[in-house]
Amino acid sequence: HSFEARFVGTEVLGADFAARPLRLRVNGTDRPLRAAAVVLACGAESRWLRVPGEHDFRGRGVSACATCDGFLFRGRDVAVVGGGDHAMEDALHLA
């Protein structure tokens, strides 16, 4: 399944969701981005361990979101690294 999704890492300056296609005014261009759907990711930033290989394997077995990516690891042994409530919630989600 291909959703033809595109990740744009920039600051959103404004949005117009009154009609389709949806429009986002972003930093660095006068032309609005147009889309059928927009995913707003407004959560906290993950704290990575900064160990060798971590960046290289993001999306290939290393994840910071159990609820987002947990289904990819169904039936496999996984490890949750972290502390506090979020790590415990992720571990419970994966259990």
Side-chain angles (χ1 to χ4, degrees), residues 1 9 21 28 34 37 43 62-64 67 70-71 74 76 79 81 84 88 90 92 94:
H1 230 1
R34 297 183 305 172
V62 173
S63 173
T67 56
F71 73 95
R74 181 169 286 144
R76 300 175 76 183
V81 178
M88 181 57 72
D90 279 356
L92 290 172
L94 294 169

Side-chain angles (χ1 to χ4, degrees), residues 40-90:
L40 300 175
C42 304
E45 189 172 325
S46 298
R47 285 183 276 173
W48 295 92
L49 299 174
R50 296 184 179 150
V51 296
E54 176 184 62
H55 181 72
D56 297 333
F57 289 100
R58 287 185 194 175
R60 295 183 200 94
V62 173
S63 173
C65 181
T67 56
C68 306
D69 300 330
F71 73 95
L72 297 169
F73 308 106
R74 181 169 286 144
R76 300 175 76 183
D77 292 336
V78 299
V80 175
V81 178
D85 293 343
H86 188 79
M88 181 57 72
E89 290 168 9
D90 279 356

